[in-house]
Amino acid sequence: MDKIAVLIPCYNEAQTIQAVIDDFKKELPEGTIYVYDNNSTDDTYAIAKAAGVKVKKESRQGKGNVVRTMFREIDAECYLLVDGDDTYPAKDARNLCREVLENGADMVTGDRLSSTYFSENKRPFHNSGNVIVRNLINYFFKGNIKDILTGYRALSPLFAKSMPVLSKGFEIETEMNIHALDKNFVIKNVEVDYRDRPEGSDSKLNTVSDGLRVIKTIFQLFKDYRPLLFFSALAAFLTVLAVILGIPVFLDYFRTGLVERMPTLITAGFLMLAALLNLSCGFILDTENKKARQNFELQLNVLHQLIKGGNA
């Protein structure tokens, strides 16, 4: 088992991967560096291989797929996850790892937003998007994570081995945050510097499409992790619609003794029925979710003992 495993998922990072490897070799000489190439069409794989680090290929496209394979194949006391685009200085790595190795943190986020991100990042929609996503997750899941979409994280083995990676792409950061908040893992924020990509190095992210995918993931996970609140909100919305449609019909009936708008009354009735069904689904799924959480905690205890045995 490695003391520190530096995990670098890469896709077409030939311009920057050498600098990233050199920096982390210098700052974390005790760390084992793993580069997982995700179908790069440039020389990323060859450059990393020549640099003398452990290099593997992941054929399934997407960062989520790469991280899933990394967590499955690598055993370490601390996992340091960093992008291969040379935007995260290696000088902050030891501070992140210290929170896991010495202070018992399960997930440590490298907080760019409190330091240089807004001055260095040249894509204004990314700035506002980061703030929106951070506020949504912290509001829905009662958290205080400073930087939701950071690619610079230190993770405990308990977190990495229990993390059910379901997303295939860039949404993996969102998924990790929500998993950590929902399962009550110990989360720490460490301020880190950020620098924009060097000239000629292009981002793989699309501001609009990837932003929409992240927001979609938040609401999907909100439904999965908070079903009672999700379906109760939907039931409340349907109830309001039913009342808005139904009240005029009942007022007419009390005034004239006739139901003059039968289709409207039927629509209001179906809306109210749908509201009751959604509320029932919320209660049922909430009960199942609590049972799943209980099973997860029991399995987490077993996993913790296995990891301790592996470290002994």
Side-chain angles (χ1 to χ4, degrees):
M1 178 177 287
D2 299 319
K3 180 75 172 180
I4 299 174
V6 181
L7 312 183
I8 311 176
C10 281
Y11 173 64
N12 288 345
E13 300 292 2
Q15 182 175 342
T16 55
I17 188 59
Q18 185 68 60
V20 173
I21 292 171
D22 291 343
D23 287 349
F24 279 92
K25 279 184 175 180
K26 178 182 177 181
E27 296 293 336
L28 283 177
E30 73 274 29
T32 304
I33 299 176
Y34 295 85
V35 174
Y36 275 58
D37 180 70
N38 194 205
N39 302 314
S40 293
T41 56
D42 60 10
D43 294 329
T44 299
Y45 181 87
I47 293 171
K49 196 75 173 175
V53 300
K54 296 187 177 183
V55 186
K56 294 188 178 183
K57 291 188 176 183
E58 171 54 59
S59 60
R60 295 169 297 180
Q61 195 65 41
K63 187 175 181 179
N65 288 323
V66 179
V67 172
R68 178 190 296 108
T69 302
M70 286 176 156
F71 288 171
R72 185 176 300 162
E73 295 182 348
I74 299 169
D75 295 317
E77 295 180 37
C78 176
Y79 297 81
L80 183 69
L81 186 63
V82 65
D83 293 338
D85 55 9
D86 199 27
T87 56
Y88 299 101
K91 66 181 179 63
D92 298 309
R94 194 168 297 281
N95 292 333
L96 273 72
C97 294
R98 185 180 297 115
E99 293 295 334
V100 172
L101 295 172
E102 299 179 13
N103 298 328
D106 291 301
M107 184 179 78
V108 187
T109 61
D111 174 19
R112 310 161 296 170
L113 304 188
S114 299
S115 61
T116 57
Y117 183 78
F118 293 109
S119 60
E120 284 287 321
N121 182 50
K122 304 302 189 296
R123 293 153 292 183
F125 289 113
H126 284 210
N127 295 343
S128 56
N130 268 279
V131 174
I132 291 171
V133 171
R134 179 183 65 186
N135 291 340
L136 280 174
I137 289 182
N138 285 329
Y139 177 76
F140 284 149
F141 295 92
K142 310 302 179 185
N144 188 33
I145 299 177
K146 302 296 185 182
D147 190 348
I148 296 292
L149 299 178
T150 179
Y152 206 7
R153 298 168 188 264
L155 308 168
S156 72
L158 192 64
F159 180 89
K161 295 300 184 183
S162 69
M163 169 71 197
V165 180
L166 302 178
S167 60
K168 297 179 180 179
F170 172 68
E171 315 94 292
I172 178 62
E173 279 95 2
T174 303
E175 193 175 16
M176 282 194 285
N177 294 315
I178 293 176
H179 177 67
L181 289 169
D182 181 72
K183 297 303 187 294
N184 200 29
F185 280 105
V186 180
I187 303 171
K188 298 288 183 67
N189 301 290
V190 172
E191 188 173 316
V192 299
D193 286 338
Y194 175 87
R195 57 195 175 213
D196 203 13
R197 280 174 170 268
E199 187 176 350
S201 175
D202 297 324
S203 173
K204 314 304 182 300
L205 301 179
N206 181 285
T207 303
V208 176
S209 63
D210 285 319
L212 291 175
R213 284 168 61 189
V214 168
I215 293 175
K216 177 184 176 183
T217 299
I218 292 173
F219 282 98
Q220 285 179 332
L221 293 175
F222 178 59
K223 173 181 67 69
D224 295 338
Y225 284 102
R226 299 285 191 274
L228 181 57
L229 185 56
F230 179 86
F231 285 101
S232 295
L234 190 55
F237 174 71
L238 293 171
T239 299
V240 170
L241 286 181
V243 170
I244 291 173
L245 291 175
I247 285 179
V249 177
F250 281 102
L251 290 177
D252 289 343
Y253 174 77
F254 291 137
R255 188 177 66 252
T256 66
L258 299 173
V259 178
E260 298 178 349
R261 289 181 282 181
M262 184 61 71
T264 303
L265 180 63
I266 293 173
T267 301
F270 274 111
L271 286 172
M272 187 60 72
L273 181 60
L276 292 173
L277 287 173
N278 273 279
L279 188 60
S280 299
C281 287
F283 279 114
I284 293 170
L285 292 174
D286 185 63
T287 300
E288 291 299 314
N289 192 42
K290 287 179 179 177
K291 290 181 180 179
R293 288 174 61 86
Q294 291 171 347
N295 290 332
F296 177 83
E297 288 298 325
L298 293 174
Q299 293 169 3
L300 203 63
N301 291 337
V302 175
L303 179 59
H304 180 63
Q305 294 303 318
L306 291 173
I307 290 173
K308 284 179 63 178
N311 288 338

